[in-house]
Amino acid sequence: KLSEQKAHLEGASQARSHELLQRQRHELEERFASELQSEKAEYESRFASVLGDVEAHKAETSAAEAERARRHLEELHMLQAKVQDLQEELAASREVESLGRAADLEAWEARSGSQMAEALEESARKHQAMLQAALAEKQAE
């Protein structure tokens, strides 16, 4: 009877140990699953935060690049306008220079014509004086 009781107690003890182990195993599995779920939620939250930061950075970068491109385009338009202004100034300057040369040419022609006219008048006076001297000479003969 003692050995039966001993066997029964051992069996009951083993059954309780097994039940206790099963309960502890179940509690550990639940705790592990809960911790795993908590870590998963934390990593998902971090991932979402980092992804949000990356998206915000991309948006800022795109906005900054768009602003930089807009400023470069404005600068390009200003430079094109300056080039246009300079081309117009150059054309006007060339026209003025051309007109100045024409005026200089006209003035030179006028001076040259005036000098030529004076030279012709002087020559005519000399010829007239020579003719008068020759006429006076003939009359004197």
Side-chain angles (χ1 to χ4, degrees):
K1 226 173 183 181
L2 202 52
S3 67
E4 274 182 33
Q5 280 183 342
K6 184 178 174 188
H8 180 65
L9 283 175
E10 283 179 9
S13 175
Q14 282 181 350
R16 266 189 259 140
S17 289
H18 181 67
E19 188 180 309
L20 183 61
L21 285 174
Q22 286 289 52
R23 218 178 309 134
Q24 286 177 342
R25 180 177 168 212
H26 182 69
E27 287 173 5
L28 285 173
E29 285 176 350
E30 283 182 356
R31 193 168 75 214
F32 179 72
S34 174
E35 287 175 6
L36 188 62
Q37 185 62 33
S38 176
E39 284 183 25
K40 179 183 175 196
E42 183 181 336
Y43 286 123
E44 286 175 345
S45 172
R46 285 184 189 171
F47 178 76
S49 175
V50 168
L51 186 61
D53 290 348
V54 167
E55 291 299 322
H57 179 70
K58 281 172 48 179
E60 289 171 8
T61 301
S62 293
E65 287 175 358
E67 178 61 20
R68 224 177 358 264
R70 187 190 62 74
R71 283 195 312 266
H72 285 301
L73 191 59
E74 282 179 358
E75 189 176 336
L76 177 64
H77 287 300
M78 286 185 347
L79 289 174
Q80 286 174 334
K82 283 183 181 179
V83 166
Q84 181 68 32
D85 290 346
L86 289 173
Q87 286 175 336
E88 289 172 4
E89 282 181 36
L90 180 60
S93 173
R94 285 183 178 156
E95 187 175 334
V96 166
E97 186 179 323
S98 176
L99 291 173
R101 278 194 214 128
D104 288 348
L105 183 60
E106 287 177 11
W108 179 81
E109 287 174 347
R111 280 193 308 274
S112 296
S114 165
Q115 289 171 352
M116 193 181 291
E118 286 175 14
L120 287 173
E121 286 176 8
E122 182 66 28
S123 177
R125 278 194 292 269
K126 286 180 184 177
H127 278 82
Q128 189 175 6
M130 285 177 23
L131 285 174
Q132 284 177 347
L135 183 63
E137 212 177 290
K138 281 229 180 209
Q139 285 176 350
E141 288 180 10

